[in-house]
Amino acid sequence: MLAAFRTIRRDPAAFLEQMWRDYGDVVQFPIPRPPVYLLSSPAQVRSVLTDSVSTQSKRTLQYDNLAILTGDGLLTADDPPWRGHRRAMQPAFHHGQLDAVCASAAHAAESYLQAWDLLADGSTVDVDKAMMEISLQVVATSLFGSDWRQDAGGLTRATITALDEVVVRARNPLASPLWLPTIRNRRLTRAKAQLDRAVDALIDGYVSGSSSVAESQASAIPPFLELVIAGLRNKDGSLDRSAVRDELVTFLVAGHETVASALSWTWYLLAEHPEVAADVRAEVDELTPGSWDMATVAALPLTSAVVDETLRLYPPAWVLTRTTTVERELGGSSVPTGSLLIMSPWILGRHPEAWDDPQRFDPSRFLTGNSRNRLGYLPFGAGPRVCIGREFALAEAAIVVALMSARFELSRPPGSSPLTPLSSVTLRPPDGLPMVVRRR
Ligand code: HEM
């Protein structure tokens, strides 16, 4: 591990993949405390993830650092309070809410395309930056309504800075305690304060808007936010501000960069496979113009399959971790309580037990049968802690890809070489994603 130190820091996903290729489906790292295992058998990983939450905890370096931002939000909390909050948040992610997500995604993509329309044909744009802005707009509009744009730039920067700092801490078991005023700690504290301020202002707006007088303001509150807040009321009807704050920051953090990463890699793979991009355009050209809702998504099987296949090969959440809270048996060895389990959707998407010819980009895998149920398809995790925003993300991605494919063709600049992703909080293109855009 000492010899691999540089790779571990520079490209941890590649390091994990190499360990799996060299040593197989259960690897114990030579670290005395806690015992650390990399699990890669698709059946075993599913069985860990679908096991009861009482057998495992999210108290790992990865989630503890994220919790600096998200507190007791769904992504990082253990049970309690996780189970009660999950139940309370479910209505906000109900199927009936997804038409509004589609409309937000179409609106966000449209406003971006208006800017592209002004460019000379054949201009180069950073598609990764565009996807970051579109996905922020979709999740922020769902939470904040249409007013959030006043502080859009600040909010994006604060989220990204905070997440970057969290990654640096997660990779360094000896990171200084947060109260030490180092440059990095101060940067993280400032970004967190900015996120907190935005969310506090949102809650204040809700409280004043819903306290009778400002009828017009109350009607501007997005239904998604309404459901989140309704779910987190205390028994006496008062607002649990800190629970609401933690969930809202969680949704902002969990629903922004992940979707942007999925979309950027989708454009990358479509550019590498122009024949598939042409088939997507043909599918999109059959749509009824102007309607962007879940019926539209249902009419886009190939576009959705392209997104699924991208998530198989480039899962934004490329590593999942758990700490065991009971002794358990894994791959013939006994794993003691308090062990760290590392599982990587990046490896599972490449596992020959789960996929034929795993390196090949082939969306048709997802056109027949239900491959989303396959053992090796884990971009959204599995079991009780499966991503609550999965349908939200898939609907958003299908709409953005369809709407943009209807109007533009995207290709990589001539002479571009294949990209190796940067494995940070999510998998990102290493230096943005410059692409040439041409009107159709
Ligand atoms: C392509 C986009 C997305 C990907 C790849 C993704 C991936 C994941 C994964 C792998 C997990 C499980 C983590 C674990 O088991 O340790 C998760 C959990 C979660 N995700 Fe997503 N996610 C995406 C989009 C979203 C969106 C749009 C939202 C909200 C708006 C969201 C909110 C959450 C929350 C709250 C959890 C925690 C659920 C719980 O433990 O109860 N995600 N996500």
Side-chain angles (χ1 to χ4, degrees), residues 140-172:
T141 307
S142 304
L143 302 176
F144 294 61
S146 45
D147 289 346
W148 72 278
R149 272 201 153 264
Q150 296 152 8
D151 194 29
L155 207 56
T156 320
R157 271 194 305 280
T159 317
I160 294 170
T161 309
L163 284 176
D164 281 350
E165 292 305 322
V166 160
V167 170
V168 172
R169 292 181 69 82
R171 292 208 184 147
N172 178 9

mmCIF file of all heavy atoms in Angstrom, residues 140-172:
data_model
loop_
_atom_site.group_PDB
_atom_site.id
_atom_site.type_symbol
_atom_site.label_atom_id
_atom_site.label_comp_id
_atom_site.label_asym_id
_atom_site.label_seq_id
_atom_site.Cartn_x
_atom_site.Cartn_y
_atom_site.Cartn_z
ATOM 1 N N ALA A 140 -32.298 22.806 -7.166
ATOM 2 C CA ALA A 140 -32.553 24.026 -6.390
ATOM 3 C C ALA A 140 -33.958 24.562 -6.664
ATOM 4 O O ALA A 140 -34.613 25.064 -5.754
ATOM 5 C CB ALA A 140 -31.492 25.073 -6.696
ATOM 6 N N THR A 141 -34.452 24.444 -7.914
ATOM 7 C CA THR A 141 -35.814 24.913 -8.190
ATOM 8 C C THR A 141 -36.828 24.058 -7.437
ATOM 9 O O THR A 141 -37.829 24.557 -6.933
ATOM 10 C CB THR A 141 -36.114 24.879 -9.711
ATOM 11 O OG1 THR A 141 -35.082 25.600 -10.368
ATOM 12 C CG2 THR A 141 -37.447 25.515 -10.043
ATOM 13 N N SER A 142 -36.550 22.747 -7.350
ATOM 14 C CA SER A 142 -37.467 21.878 -6.604
ATOM 15 C C SER A 142 -37.534 22.291 -5.138
ATOM 16 O O SER A 142 -38.591 22.250 -4.522
ATOM 17 C CB SER A 142 -37.011 20.419 -6.673
ATOM 18 O OG SER A 142 -36.885 20.019 -8.003
ATOM 19 N N LEU A 143 -36.375 22.669 -4.577
ATOM 20 C CA LEU A 143 -36.338 23.025 -3.160
ATOM 21 C C LEU A 143 -36.730 24.472 -2.931
ATOM 22 O O LEU A 143 -37.496 24.795 -2.031
ATOM 23 C CB LEU A 143 -34.931 22.829 -2.589
ATOM 24 C CG LEU A 143 -34.320 21.429 -2.682
ATOM 25 C CD1 LEU A 143 -32.896 21.458 -2.170
ATOM 26 C CD2 LEU A 143 -35.138 20.457 -1.859
ATOM 27 N N PHE A 144 -36.142 25.362 -3.735
ATOM 28 C CA PHE A 144 -36.212 26.790 -3.429
ATOM 29 C C PHE A 144 -37.264 27.524 -4.247
ATOM 30 O O PHE A 144 -37.462 28.700 -4.061
ATOM 31 C CB PHE A 144 -34.866 27.458 -3.727
ATOM 32 C CG PHE A 144 -33.718 27.024 -2.854
ATOM 33 C CD1 PHE A 144 -33.280 25.719 -2.824
ATOM 34 C CD2 PHE A 144 -33.052 27.941 -2.059
ATOM 35 C CE1 PHE A 144 -32.218 25.320 -2.032
ATOM 36 C CE2 PHE A 144 -31.980 27.557 -1.263
ATOM 37 C CZ PHE A 144 -31.575 26.237 -1.243
ATOM 38 N N GLY A 145 -37.886 26.852 -5.221
ATOM 39 C CA GLY A 145 -38.775 27.579 -6.116
ATOM 40 C C GLY A 145 -37.935 28.366 -7.111
ATOM 41 O O GLY A 145 -36.713 28.179 -7.188
ATOM 42 N N SER A 146 -38.568 29.266 -7.841
ATOM 43 C CA SER A 146 -37.817 29.912 -8.920
ATOM 44 C C SER A 146 -36.950 31.069 -8.422
ATOM 45 O O SER A 146 -36.156 31.620 -9.177
ATOM 46 C CB SER A 146 -38.779 30.385 -10.001
ATOM 47 O OG SER A 146 -39.861 30.999 -9.372
ATOM 48 N N ASP A 147 -37.049 31.435 -7.145
ATOM 49 C CA ASP A 147 -36.318 32.618 -6.666
ATOM 50 C C ASP A 147 -34.846 32.389 -6.379
ATOM 51 O O ASP A 147 -34.094 33.318 -6.194
ATOM 52 C CB ASP A 147 -36.928 33.107 -5.340
ATOM 53 C CG ASP A 147 -38.276 33.725 -5.585
ATOM 54 O OD1 ASP A 147 -38.570 33.995 -6.753
ATOM 55 O OD2 ASP A 147 -39.021 33.899 -4.599
ATOM 56 N N TRP A 148 -34.439 31.107 -6.363
ATOM 57 C CA TRP A 148 -33.097 30.805 -5.888
ATOM 58 C C TRP A 148 -32.018 31.390 -6.789
ATOM 59 O O TRP A 148 -30.898 31.588 -6.358
ATOM 60 C CB TRP A 148 -32.922 29.288 -5.801
ATOM 61 C CG TRP A 148 -32.835 28.673 -7.156
ATOM 62 C CD1 TRP A 148 -33.872 28.351 -7.962
ATOM 63 C CD2 TRP A 148 -31.647 28.384 -7.867
ATOM 64 N NE1 TRP A 148 -33.423 27.860 -9.140
ATOM 65 C CE2 TRP A 148 -32.049 27.873 -9.117
ATOM 66 C CE3 TRP A 148 -30.290 28.498 -7.598
ATOM 67 C CZ2 TRP A 148 -31.131 27.484 -10.074
ATOM 68 C CZ3 TRP A 148 -29.380 28.099 -8.559
ATOM 69 C CH2 TRP A 148 -29.806 27.604 -9.780
ATOM 70 N N ARG A 149 -32.350 31.723 -8.038
ATOM 71 C CA ARG A 149 -31.321 32.121 -9.003
ATOM 72 C C ARG A 149 -30.548 33.372 -8.585
ATOM 73 O O ARG A 149 -29.411 33.569 -8.994
ATOM 74 C CB ARG A 149 -31.936 32.346 -10.387
ATOM 75 C CG ARG A 149 -31.956 31.068 -11.156
ATOM 76 C CD ARG A 149 -32.060 31.260 -12.634
ATOM 77 N NE ARG A 149 -31.450 30.131 -13.305
ATOM 78 C CZ ARG A 149 -30.207 30.121 -13.747
ATOM 79 N NH1 ARG A 149 -29.433 31.166 -13.642
ATOM 80 N NH2 ARG A 149 -29.716 29.045 -14.324
ATOM 81 N N GLN A 150 -31.183 34.191 -7.734
ATOM 82 C CA GLN A 150 -30.465 35.390 -7.263
ATOM 83 C C GLN A 150 -29.077 35.014 -6.737
ATOM 84 O O GLN A 150 -28.119 35.738 -6.901
ATOM 85 C CB GLN A 150 -31.214 36.046 -6.103
ATOM 86 C CG GLN A 150 -32.567 36.568 -6.474
ATOM 87 C CD GLN A 150 -33.503 36.567 -5.257
ATOM 88 O OE1 GLN A 150 -33.069 36.312 -4.143
ATOM 89 N NE2 GLN A 150 -34.769 36.843 -5.496
ATOM 90 N N ASP A 151 -28.992 33.851 -6.085
ATOM 91 C CA ASP A 151 -27.722 33.480 -5.477
ATOM 92 C C ASP A 151 -27.138 32.215 -6.113
ATOM 93 O O ASP A 151 -26.387 31.470 -5.488
ATOM 94 C CB ASP A 151 -27.913 33.266 -3.967
ATOM 95 C CG ASP A 151 -26.563 33.229 -3.247
ATOM 96 O OD1 ASP A 151 -25.628 33.880 -3.745
ATOM 97 O OD2 ASP A 151 -26.447 32.518 -2.242
ATOM 98 N N ALA A 152 -27.483 31.987 -7.391
ATOM 99 C CA ALA A 152 -27.083 30.726 -8.023
ATOM 100 C C ALA A 152 -25.577 30.502 -8.003
ATOM 101 O O ALA A 152 -25.097 29.451 -7.593
ATOM 102 C CB ALA A 152 -27.601 30.689 -9.448
ATOM 103 N N GLY A 153 -24.821 31.538 -8.433
ATOM 104 C CA GLY A 153 -23.364 31.388 -8.518
ATOM 105 C C GLY A 153 -22.763 31.059 -7.162
ATOM 106 O O GLY A 153 -21.965 30.134 -7.019
ATOM 107 N N GLY A 154 -23.214 31.823 -6.141
ATOM 108 C CA GLY A 154 -22.677 31.629 -4.793
ATOM 109 C C GLY A 154 -22.985 30.238 -4.269
ATOM 110 O O GLY A 154 -22.137 29.584 -3.667
ATOM 111 N N LEU A 155 -24.205 29.790 -4.568
ATOM 112 C CA LEU A 155 -24.618 28.478 -4.074
ATOM 113 C C LEU A 155 -23.810 27.360 -4.753
ATOM 114 O O LEU A 155 -23.372 26.415 -4.094
ATOM 115 C CB LEU A 155 -26.108 28.304 -4.393
ATOM 116 C CG LEU A 155 -26.899 27.387 -3.500
ATOM 117 C CD1 LEU A 155 -26.789 27.813 -2.048
ATOM 118 C CD2 LEU A 155 -28.354 27.392 -3.932
ATOM 119 N N THR A 156 -23.606 27.486 -6.065
ATOM 120 C CA THR A 156 -22.808 26.462 -6.769
ATOM 121 C C THR A 156 -21.413 26.421 -6.188
ATOM 122 O O THR A 156 -20.892 25.356 -5.873
ATOM 123 C CB THR A 156 -22.649 26.809 -8.283
ATOM 124 O OG1 THR A 156 -23.860 27.318 -8.748
ATOM 125 C CG2 THR A 156 -22.203 25.630 -9.085
ATOM 126 N N ARG A 157 -20.800 27.618 -6.075
ATOM 127 C CA ARG A 157 -19.415 27.654 -5.575
ATOM 128 C C ARG A 157 -19.335 27.079 -4.171
ATOM 129 O O ARG A 157 -18.446 26.286 -3.853
ATOM 130 C CB ARG A 157 -18.882 29.093 -5.580
ATOM 131 C CG ARG A 157 -18.221 29.475 -6.898
ATOM 132 C CD ARG A 157 -17.410 30.746 -6.749
ATOM 133 N NE ARG A 157 -18.183 31.854 -6.215
ATOM 134 C CZ ARG A 157 -19.023 32.609 -6.928
ATOM 135 N NH1 ARG A 157 -19.177 32.381 -8.218
ATOM 136 N NH2 ARG A 157 -19.694 33.596 -6.374
ATOM 137 N N ALA A 158 -20.295 27.442 -3.317
ATOM 138 C CA ALA A 158 -20.261 26.955 -1.928
ATOM 139 C C ALA A 158 -20.388 25.435 -1.894
ATOM 140 O O ALA A 158 -19.647 24.756 -1.173
ATOM 141 C CB ALA A 158 -21.389 27.591 -1.123
ATOM 142 N N THR A 159 -21.304 24.878 -2.698
ATOM 143 C CA THR A 159 -21.474 23.411 -2.692
ATOM 144 C C THR A 159 -20.192 22.742 -3.158
ATOM 145 O O THR A 159 -19.703 21.784 -2.538
ATOM 146 C CB THR A 159 -22.630 22.982 -3.637
ATOM 147 O OG1 THR A 159 -23.715 23.870 -3.461
ATOM 148 C CG2 THR A 159 -23.063 21.578 -3.397
ATOM 149 N N ILE A 160 -19.623 23.242 -4.268
ATOM 150 C CA ILE A 160 -18.441 22.579 -4.827
ATOM 151 C C ILE A 160 -17.240 22.717 -3.893
ATOM 152 O O ILE A 160 -16.532 21.743 -3.622
ATOM 153 C CB ILE A 160 -18.126 23.137 -6.234
ATOM 154 C CG1 ILE A 160 -19.282 22.747 -7.170
ATOM 155 C CG2 ILE A 160 -16.815 22.597 -6.773
ATOM 156 C CD1 ILE A 160 -19.238 23.403 -8.507
ATOM 157 N N THR A 161 -17.036 23.938 -3.365
ATOM 158 C CA THR A 161 -15.902 24.130 -2.447
ATOM 159 C C THR A 161 -16.050 23.213 -1.246
ATOM 160 O O THR A 161 -15.101 22.522 -0.837
ATOM 161 C CB THR A 161 -15.844 25.594 -1.942
ATOM 162 O OG1 THR A 161 -15.907 26.440 -3.065
ATOM 163 C CG2 THR A 161 -14.607 25.869 -1.127
ATOM 164 N N ALA A 162 -17.251 23.191 -0.668
ATOM 165 C CA ALA A 162 -17.450 22.383 0.537
ATOM 166 C C ALA A 162 -17.191 20.911 0.222
ATOM 167 O O ALA A 162 -16.491 20.217 0.970
ATOM 168 C CB ALA A 162 -18.874 22.582 1.052
ATOM 169 N N LEU A 163 -17.708 20.429 -0.919
ATOM 170 C CA LEU A 163 -17.509 19.013 -1.251
ATOM 171 C C LEU A 163 -16.043 18.704 -1.507
ATOM 172 O O LEU A 163 -15.528 17.658 -1.098
ATOM 173 C CB LEU A 163 -18.345 18.633 -2.475
ATOM 174 C CG LEU A 163 -19.834 18.442 -2.202
ATOM 175 C CD1 LEU A 163 -20.597 18.169 -3.486
ATOM 176 C CD2 LEU A 163 -20.069 17.294 -1.221
ATOM 177 N N ASP A 164 -15.338 19.617 -2.191
ATOM 178 C CA ASP A 164 -13.900 19.395 -2.449
ATOM 179 C C ASP A 164 -13.142 19.239 -1.140
ATOM 180 O O ASP A 164 -12.300 18.358 -0.986
ATOM 181 C CB ASP A 164 -13.309 20.576 -3.224
ATOM 182 C CG ASP A 164 -13.654 20.482 -4.705
ATOM 183 O OD1 ASP A 164 -14.166 19.418 -5.113
ATOM 184 O OD2 ASP A 164 -13.439 21.476 -5.417
ATOM 185 N N GLU A 165 -13.457 20.118 -0.189
ATOM 186 C CA GLU A 165 -12.750 20.060 1.094
ATOM 187 C C GLU A 165 -13.088 18.775 1.855
ATOM 188 O O GLU A 165 -12.241 18.182 2.516
ATOM 189 C CB GLU A 165 -13.087 21.284 1.958
ATOM 190 C CG GLU A 165 -12.539 22.589 1.406
ATOM 191 C CD GLU A 165 -11.026 22.550 1.173
ATOM 192 O OE1 GLU A 165 -10.308 21.948 1.984
ATOM 193 O OE2 GLU A 165 -10.567 23.104 0.143
ATOM 194 N N VAL A 166 -14.343 18.346 1.717
ATOM 195 C CA VAL A 166 -14.757 17.104 2.377
ATOM 196 C C VAL A 166 -13.955 15.921 1.814
ATOM 197 O O VAL A 166 -13.516 15.034 2.544
ATOM 198 C CB VAL A 166 -16.282 16.907 2.181
ATOM 199 C CG1 VAL A 166 -16.687 15.468 2.399
ATOM 200 C CG2 VAL A 166 -17.042 17.807 3.136
ATOM 201 N N VAL A 167 -13.732 15.930 0.481
ATOM 202 C CA VAL A 167 -12.966 14.841 -0.133
ATOM 203 C C VAL A 167 -11.535 14.838 0.379
ATOM 204 O O VAL A 167 -10.978 13.786 0.724
ATOM 205 C CB VAL A 167 -12.952 14.991 -1.671
ATOM 206 C CG1 VAL A 167 -11.969 14.018 -2.296
ATOM 207 C CG2 VAL A 167 -14.318 14.727 -2.211
ATOM 208 N N VAL A 168 -10.929 16.028 0.456
ATOM 209 C CA VAL A 168 -9.550 16.103 0.937
ATOM 210 C C VAL A 168 -9.478 15.507 2.350
ATOM 211 O O VAL A 168 -8.590 14.714 2.666
ATOM 212 C CB VAL A 168 -9.049 17.566 0.937
ATOM 213 C CG1 VAL A 168 -7.701 17.689 1.623
ATOM 214 C CG2 VAL A 168 -8.972 18.095 -0.487
ATOM 215 N N ARG A 169 -10.443 15.833 3.185
ATOM 216 C CA ARG A 169 -10.446 15.300 4.558
ATOM 217 C C ARG A 169 -10.666 13.788 4.565
ATOM 218 O O ARG A 169 -10.008 13.057 5.300
ATOM 219 C CB ARG A 169 -11.562 15.956 5.388
ATOM 220 C CG ARG A 169 -11.354 17.412 5.689
ATOM 221 C CD ARG A 169 -12.499 17.928 6.536
ATOM 222 N NE ARG A 169 -12.463 17.348 7.869
ATOM 223 C CZ ARG A 169 -11.690 17.782 8.865
ATOM 224 N NH1 ARG A 169 -10.910 18.822 8.668
ATOM 225 N NH2 ARG A 169 -11.710 17.200 10.029
ATOM 226 N N ALA A 170 -11.587 13.320 3.680
ATOM 227 C CA ALA A 170 -11.904 11.887 3.683
ATOM 228 C C ALA A 170 -10.696 11.058 3.258
ATOM 229 O O ALA A 170 -10.575 9.888 3.600
ATOM 230 C CB ALA A 170 -13.086 11.608 2.770
ATOM 231 N N ARG A 171 -9.789 11.679 2.473
ATOM 232 C CA ARG A 171 -8.623 10.916 2.000
ATOM 233 C C ARG A 171 -7.466 10.994 2.974
ATOM 234 O O ARG A 171 -6.421 10.416 2.743
ATOM 235 C CB ARG A 171 -8.163 11.480 0.655
ATOM 236 C CG ARG A 171 -9.179 11.185 -0.382
ATOM 237 C CD ARG A 171 -8.580 11.081 -1.727
ATOM 238 N NE ARG A 171 -9.658 10.884 -2.665
ATOM 239 C CZ ARG A 171 -9.670 11.339 -3.881
ATOM 240 N NH1 ARG A 171 -8.643 12.007 -4.324
ATOM 241 N NH2 ARG A 171 -10.686 11.109 -4.665
ATOM 242 N N ASN A 172 -7.640 11.774 4.038
ATOM 243 C CA ASN A 172 -6.529 11.955 4.963
ATOM 244 C C ASN A 172 -6.972 11.628 6.390
ATOM 245 O O ASN A 172 -7.564 12.465 7.066
ATOM 246 C CB ASN A 172 -6.043 13.414 4.866
ATOM 247 C CG ASN A 172 -4.919 13.687 5.834
ATOM 248 O OD1 ASN A 172 -4.397 12.761 6.459
ATOM 249 N ND2 ASN A 172 -4.561 14.953 5.965
#
